[in-house]
Amino acid sequence: MPGGSIYVQQDEKFTGSSPQWYYEKFWREDARNRQKSRIVKAVVGFAVGIALAIRFEVELAALVGLAFAGIVAGADWWLDWRSFRATAVWRGRRRGEVITRRLLRRSLGRQGYHVLDGRAIRDQASIDHLVIGPGGVWIVDNESWSPDTEIATYAGRLFFGERYGTKVAKPLIDTAEAFAQLLTRETGIPVRITPLLAVHCGSLPRGGSVAAEGVTLLRPRLVARQIKSSRETVLSDEQVELLARTAARELQRQRS
């Protein structure tokens, strides 16, 4: 690429041929249409406010109408902004592991859970987050797909659009098994690790989660809730501390 470096691989998210680049381009070009639509909605809100003020004999009906118009316009802007922001990880503007790390530490940090970020077994497996707590052990990875990618299950199989999801699920399961074997061997505590995949962009079913092929995929904001709701394993405080210390010692920290 002209102006680029032959030593640094270009990220296709920022080139003129990627889906992410086109998504941002079309979003900017559609700004005028969104503004026109927002004005129409605000006018409707103004009319509804006036009608309600007259119906309930409220004085200063015009002010009520303006208030309704402002609320409608503000809500419409917020929904548009939220929709665009939800694609930030997919577009390469934010890092999914940073978002999930903050959510995990905020929700689990004071409830007896240990969150270790960016851990790996040398030449074997790596993961974004390892969570150890009273309810068991989990690994959490982060992924993002295009906004129109439908994530669903059919007959027990995981699908991303029309593609099978086995290539996504199997490496995560293998990593969970590798981490579990290491912790079991080093601590003598039988460990079973549950794999979770935080989905930052993509179309999940209503409720924000789906489980298939041994992996649960869910929105980042639901990961901590999923972990806290687990009662399959009960670990004592001593076991949690031993597993956390062992993981911190035996698992390599990945360079960011």
Side-chain angles (χ1 to χ4, degrees):
M1 175 179 293
S5 170
I6 63 174
Y7 302 105
V8 180
Q9 184 177 0
Q10 296 293 325
D11 189 338
E12 67 172 13
K13 291 185 180 68
F14 303 105
T15 65
S17 59
S18 70
Q20 292 89 345
W21 186 87
Y22 279 110
Y23 182 89
E24 291 194 9
K25 177 177 182 292
F26 293 146
W27 175 269
R28 290 192 296 269
E29 292 177 348
D30 194 50
R32 188 176 297 275
N33 290 330
R34 292 196 303 273
Q35 291 171 358
K36 291 179 180 179
S37 175
R38 189 167 300 131
I39 291 172
V40 171
K41 294 174 183 177
V43 170
V44 173
F46 179 79
V48 170
I50 292 289
L52 289 174
I54 294 174
R55 169 67 177 79
F56 293 101
E57 300 181 351
V58 178
E59 296 182 357
L60 302 176
L63 289 179
V64 175
L66 288 173
F68 268 75
I71 292 172
V72 170
D76 185 67
W77 174 87
W78 183 80
L79 290 173
D80 278 342
W81 175 84
R82 183 186 180 194
S83 174
F84 185 67
R85 184 176 173 81
T87 67
V89 174
W90 174 67
R91 292 183 288 111
R93 304 302 180 181
R94 301 183 70 191
R95 295 177 59 185
E97 62 270 24
V98 173
I99 296 171
T100 303
R101 178 181 64 198
R102 183 171 62 250
L103 292 171
L104 289 175
R105 293 186 182 279
R106 181 185 303 165
S107 299
L108 303 175
R110 298 182 179 179
Q111 300 189 30
Y113 291 84
H114 294 260
V115 181
L116 286 75
D117 304 304
R119 298 292 166 163
I121 301 175
R122 185 187 299 274
D123 300 327
Q124 186 172 357
S126 62
I127 202 66
D128 290 337
H129 316 283
L130 176 68
V131 181
I132 303 172
V137 184
W138 298 261
I139 58 172
V140 184
D141 210 357
N142 295 273
E143 286 292 348
S144 189
W145 289 270
S146 62
D148 58 350
T149 299
E150 182 181 1
I151 304 170
T153 61
Y154 300 100
R157 296 291 302 273
L158 180 63
F159 286 85
F160 297 95
E162 298 180 354
R163 295 181 298 175
Y164 289 115
T166 303
K167 290 184 178 180
V168 173
K170 189 177 185 304
L172 198 56
I173 294 173
D174 291 344
T175 300
E177 292 176 351
F179 276 41
Q181 290 173 6
L182 185 149
L183 291 176
T184 298
R185 182 176 66 250
E186 296 296 328
T187 64
I189 302 171
V191 175
R192 176 182 176 273
I193 297 182
T194 303
L196 302 175
L197 187 59
V199 178
H200 294 266
C201 187
S203 179
L204 284 167
R206 183 184 297 273
S209 67
V210 64
E213 301 190 37
V215 176
T216 299
L217 296 87
L218 65 174
R219 293 297 182 199
R221 69 178 185 277
L222 301 178
V223 174
R225 184 188 308 174
Q226 176 81 7
I227 290 173
K228 289 188 289 187
S229 68
S230 176
R231 294 294 183 269
E232 293 183 7
T233 305
V234 178
L235 298 174
S236 66
D237 293 343
E238 292 76 14
Q239 288 175 321
V240 170
E241 288 296 329
L242 177 58
L243 288 169
R245 289 199 306 270
T246 303
R249 182 183 70 245
E250 298 293 334
L251 297 173
Q252 290 183 310
R253 184 183 296 274
Q254 299 180 84
R255 294 182 179 180
S256 56

